[in-house]
DNA sequence: GTCATATGTAACCAATATAGTTACGTTTAA
DNA sequence: TTAAACGTAACTATATTGGTTACATATGAC
């Protein structure tokens, strides 16, 4: 949804209200505003309040990557995460898998993110 | 949990019951059996029923990658998925983002998976 | 200064997913 | 024949998500 919203903002190229954006996503304006809140806190958009308020991109579509959007809405959550069960002290596997696996998952996630970084909002918009 | 279980099987290098495996993960044997069911259907382990039954790896730890395990438990689910709202026919963005974005996400996921494919269960086990 | 319009956010609901648990049928070696 | 183990259904508790209503706050237009 965040990418859909950002693409709409790029496509419209003008100030848009959460109402208008909600219509393109086919959802509720509040849902859209929640996402816009994340995007705003991440500095990807500008939000103007009050009468004639609305949202605009903070940078050009060429300067915004899918990774920027991903980070804005995902914050520190990981693609695949470890189980949270307490470790069994008597079991060497239980004590060590977590750390080892975390390192490998972290590596994989970083190549995923590097891939997202290559795609700019302009690339998506261009396909519209 | 699936990786934890598989590592335990590799480490023990002998038939293990869901009870024993549950103890290293610190959870319930049924939870473990559910995951073992996925791993079994994917052909990564052998399951023996009846008295003195239990689970063993179907291949050596060198022949099992994190990707194999990932696929076994994740099936066709994707790391990041598209929103499911119906498209707004009047809006070109709504009609086209989905396909374009899907292609980019698919690419990113494939580099993620390629990374998982590089890591073998033997690599994880060795760190224990 | 008032008012219409928009954002920001809290509160609540419904739907879904996950882990844990109990229970029980089925299988199999001893 | 029986004890031990898998396979799976059913139920519960918890968390997450999206949608919805409601309302306080901000702001441009008149």
């Amino acid at each position: 949804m965040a990418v859909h919203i950002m693409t709409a903002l790029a496509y419209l190229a003008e100030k848009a209200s959460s109402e208008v954006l909600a219509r393109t996503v086919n959802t509720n304006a509040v849902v859209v505003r929640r996402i816009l809140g994340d995007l705003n806190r991440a500095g990807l958009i500008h939000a103007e309040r009050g009468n004639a308020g609305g949202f605009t991109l903070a940078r050009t579509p060429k300067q915004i990557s899918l990774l920027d959007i991903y980070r804005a809405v995902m914050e520190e959550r990981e693609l695949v995460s470890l189980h949270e069960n307490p470790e069994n002290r008597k079991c060497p596997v239980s004590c060590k898998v977590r750390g080892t696996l975390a390192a490998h998952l972290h590596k994989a996630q970083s190549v995923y993110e590097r891939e997202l970084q290559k795609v700019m909002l302009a690339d998506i918009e261009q396909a519209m």
Side-chain angles (χ1 to χ4, degrees), chain A residues 54-118:
Chain A
F55 304 89
T56 49
L57 294 182
R59 309 202 290 266
T60 71
K62 279 193 179 181
Q63 295 170 319
I64 298 174
S65 70
L66 285 189
L67 179 58
D68 293 325
I69 300 171
Y70 171 86
R71 290 240 169 98
V73 296
M74 290 293 202
E75 278 149 38
E76 297 305 302
R77 265 176 302 174
E78 278 162 8
L79 288 168
V80 175
S81 48
L82 304 172
H83 75 79
E84 306 263 277
N85 297 4
E87 65 183 32
N88 176 345
R89 296 269 187 82
K90 295 176 199 151
C91 173
V93 174
S94 183
C95 293
K96 296 208 184 158
V97 240
R98 208 187 302 279
T100 310
L101 180 55
H104 291 296
L105 290 179
H106 186 269
K107 179 73 203 312
Q109 171 135 359
S110 78
V111 304
Y112 185 92
E113 294 188 359
R114 204 168 307 136
E115 205 60 34
L116 293 188
Q117 200 170 18
K118 291 181 193 166

Side-chain angles (χ1 to χ4, degrees), chain A residues 28-41:
Chain A
N28 189 289
V30 176
V31 172
V32 170
R33 286 206 291 274
R34 279 205 282 248
I35 295 168
L36 286 161
D38 287 336
L39 296 168
N40 189 23
R41 275 182 289 277

Side-chain angles (χ1 to χ4, degrees), chain A residues 3-13 24 61 66 119-128:
Chain A
V3 175
H4 189 152
I5 291 166
M6 289 293 280
T7 308
L9 282 174
Y11 183 83
L12 297 171
T24 148
L66 285 189
V119 185
M120 293 300 167
L121 194 53
D123 303 324
I124 311 265
E125 186 206 344
Q126 199 168 17
M128 296 302 99

